[in-house]
Each structure stands twice: as structure tokens, then as C-alpha cells.
Amino acid sequence: MNDVGFLVHSGIGRITLNRPRALNSLNHDMVLAMLDHLETWRSDPGVRAVLIDGAGDRGLCAGGDIRAIHEDARAGGTASLRFWADEYRLNALISRYPKPYLALMDGLVMGGGVGVSAHGSHRIVTERSRIGMPEVGIGFIPDVGGTYLLSRAPGQLGTHIALTAGSISGPDAIHCGLADHFMPGERIPDLLDALASRTPDTALDLIAEPAPPSGLAADAEWIDHCYAADTVEEILSRLHTGGDAAATAAKEIEAKSPTALKVTLRALRTAAAMPDLETVLAQEYRVSHRAFSSAEFAEGIRAQIIDKDRSPHWNPATLSEVDDDLVASYFAGLGDDELSGVAR
């Protein structure tokens, strides 16, 4: 099997991300292969549903290949921009796929892993699921439709997830609209067996269980109050006076890139008013394009992934130094470089 495997059995087109040592992180060839097979399978009468999972026992997918993106950015290349363009087209295709698209969101599902799962029609989590959009921790901004999904979570839960860059549980993901079904991880083989002779809906009716309570739902009161503020500065001010859990969230946010925080908040607010995923993906591409050329992104990857000193030197270093013009520059049109091919 290559970096991604494809198999059709009993009418199920199965996609298996196969880079377990890299937590199944996505590269461009994997994205192109998935686009190609999904386009073929959509009109293949021998494929009645698609299922995506990850090799190994650690998770579905930890996101894009950050080391490769870092090397590309340092070299002044453009390969990462082409990767994102095709990745976002893949996200859009998954969201409107005409056949059931089942995502086994077992274990870690981060960043790009959310993009290939949470836009599907049948999203399955387990007790091992840890789902997140950690981009602000590396000077980046949630993408792959993440701002679309998080901006539509109940209340301000999506803002909390994005700005803290924290991971959430399977039950939290269901509550936030990023997943649909819960089942014990040990029953995944039972689901695969059931899919061989049943529709996805009837197979899930047989295997899935009621999800345990969502911890985020229990914290909604203070989260909604604190994150309803119009600026990151005011959000932090409210968090510092909101109790122990809120103060912990403030500490997590304050370690992130000030620029990424402000751009992310604006991206979430504007995404909430946009009509569909494709429009949001076009905005995310503009933001990603600008972030790719920024020192923030390279520094964030250096500190978290390359040197692992966990001590990024952000510039600007404080929220007060991030002015409106800098934030606006991330949303400026790209002319001939605009994302294309995702419209309905």
C-alpha cells in the first residue's frame, strides 16, 4: 500500500490513509489520489458508499505534512499553495458527495484530518477521539473549512476551540456539529462487517450508541459570555474574570501568535455570515496564502515541530501591536491566484 490505499469491497469504496509513523499526515500526492478516486467512484455503480480511515492505532490524520510545508516556505516555494488549493477542492467535494461518505474519526483528528472527515455525511467518533484545529499555535489560521464548521457550532464553542487550539472529545464533536455518531472503538470491526450487507444508516443504527455527555456543553455558559466579545483583547479580559476554567483558557490563548489570534477571530466572524462552504474555503485560501509568506508561520513551525523548544518568538509580540491593516491584509484578494474550482 502507498501513502493512501484504495479498495472496493461489498460496494464500499475504502480510503485508508497510510502514513502511521507520521500520524497519517496528508501530502499532495495523497490529496490528488483521493480526488481522482472520489471522482471515479461517484459514477461507479459498484460503489454505493465511501469510507475513510487511518492506518495504525493512533488516529485518522494529524493534518498536513507540516515539515514539508516548512521546508517549502523557507525555500520561497509555491508547492504548499498548490497543495492547499487541491486540498480545499477535496474538502468541497467531500461536502457535496452524492454517495454516503463515512469517516472513522477514531484517535487523533487534527487540522487537515478534520477536512477529510468532518465534511462527510456520516461522521463517527469513539471514546479515543481527540479532534482539533491547532493552527493558531503555529502562527497559522484554521483552514480546510474549519472556520465554516467552528463558526456554526452552538454559541461561541467554536471560537473557544479555535483560539485555544485545544482538542475536544468525540461527544464534544457531536455537540459542536463536527460528528454524528458515537460508538466504542472496539466495535469498528463490527461496523465494517455490517456495512458489507447493510446501508450506512442501518449499519450505524445497529452499532452506534448514545454519546456520553459533552464537557463543552456543560461549560457553554461561561464560554458563550466570554467569547461573544468583539476583540481578542476583550475576550481575554472576560476570561480572566470568568473563573478557573476560563482563566486556564486565557493562559492557553496568550501563548499563541497574536496575529493568528486576531486573524482567526475575524475569519470566524465573517465565515458565520457566508452562505456555503465553498465561499468560506475561498476566504481561507486567501488567508493561508498570506500566512504562508509570513514569518509567524515559519516561526511557529520551528518552535513546535522542528526545534520543539515550545518558545516561539512572535512578531508582533503583543495583541496591541497587531493593527487593523495587518489583519485586513490577510483577507485581501489574490487576483489571478484566487482559489478556483470549488464552486457548486
Side-chain angles (χ1 to χ4, degrees):
M1 188 185 286
N2 297 318
D3 285 350
V4 56
F6 303 93
L7 175 69
V8 177
H9 179 69
S10 300
I12 305 298
R14 186 170 178 178
I15 302 170
T16 300
L17 307 182
N18 189 41
R19 300 183 68 204
R21 294 181 64 183
L23 274 169
N24 299 320
S25 59
L26 298 169
N27 58 41
H28 201 173
D29 287 344
M30 294 166 71
V31 166
L32 292 174
M34 291 172 67
L35 279 167
D36 182 59
H37 279 79
L38 287 173
E39 288 290 358
T40 299
W41 286 347
R42 69 188 299 169
S43 58
D44 184 344
V47 176
R48 54 187 174 83
V50 172
L51 179 143
I52 185 169
D53 64 353
D57 58 5
R58 299 172 65 193
L60 172 66
C61 175
D65 190 334
I66 295 297
R67 288 181 178 271
I69 294 170
H70 182 256
E71 292 171 3
D72 187 35
R74 291 189 64 189
T78 59
S80 298
L81 300 176
R82 296 192 297 274
F83 163 68
W84 283 325
D86 287 325
E87 184 182 27
Y88 299 174
R89 293 184 185 106
L90 175 62
N91 303 147
L93 175 59
I94 291 169
S95 77
R96 59 174 183 263
Y97 205 64
K99 297 178 179 181
Y101 181 101
L102 292 82
L104 291 180
M105 301 170 73
D106 186 38
L108 286 176
V109 185
M110 301 287 168
V114 173
V116 297
S117 59
H119 299 301
S121 60
H122 297 68
R123 304 161 301 175
I124 302 133
V125 291
T126 73
E127 76 282 0
R128 300 186 295 242
S129 296
R130 299 303 303 175
I131 299 157
M133 300 296 296
E135 286 78 6
V136 294
I138 56 170
F140 201 56
I141 292 85
D143 66 335
V144 297
T147 60
Y148 177 87
L149 294 165
L150 295 178
S151 68
R152 285 156 174 78
Q156 295 296 324
L157 298 183
T159 309
H160 171 70
I161 294 166
L163 296 188
T164 60
S167 62
I168 61 174
S169 69
D172 290 336
I174 292 174
H175 180 73
C176 290
L178 277 67
D180 309 296
H181 304 278
F182 177 89
M183 65 183 216
E186 65 184 15
R187 298 214 63 191
I188 289 175
D190 297 332
L191 175 65
L192 299 177
D193 288 343
L195 287 169
S197 58
R198 299 171 182 265
T199 67
D201 287 334
T202 55
L204 285 164
D205 285 344
L206 180 68
I207 306 296
E209 300 179 2
S214 162
L216 272 183
D219 289 337
E221 185 174 356
W222 68 261
I223 289 174
D224 289 349
H225 168 71
C226 294
Y227 291 93
D230 293 331
T231 66
V232 179
E233 291 91 336
E234 177 59 25
I235 288 172
L236 285 169
S237 177
R238 294 185 185 187
L239 288 170
H240 278 299
T241 60
D244 291 345
T248 298
K251 185 176 181 179
E252 293 170 350
I253 293 170
E254 287 167 342
K256 307 303 187 287
S257 160
T259 302
L261 289 169
K262 285 200 170 184
V263 174
T264 294
L265 184 62
R266 172 169 168 175
L268 289 167
R269 299 298 195 246
T270 53
M274 289 180 170
D276 51 39
L277 173 63
E278 286 82 358
T279 306
V280 175
L281 286 167
Q283 172 175 273
E284 289 180 351
Y285 186 71
R286 296 183 199 109
V287 172
S288 297
H289 198 289
R290 174 67 176 81
F292 180 69
S293 63
S294 74
E296 292 294 272
F297 188 33
E299 173 61 11
I301 297 174
R302 180 207 64 77
Q304 300 296 336
I305 309 297
I306 307 301
D307 296 338
K308 297 183 179 179
D309 58 29
R310 307 292 192 265
S311 298
H313 301 288
W314 305 123
N315 183 25
T318 65
L319 289 166
S320 62
E321 296 175 85
V322 182
D323 61 31
D324 292 343
D325 288 342
L326 176 57
V327 174
S329 71
Y330 279 73
F331 297 84
L334 299 174
D336 293 339
D337 290 331
E338 286 285 332
L339 182 65
S340 60
V342 299
R344 291 187 184 280

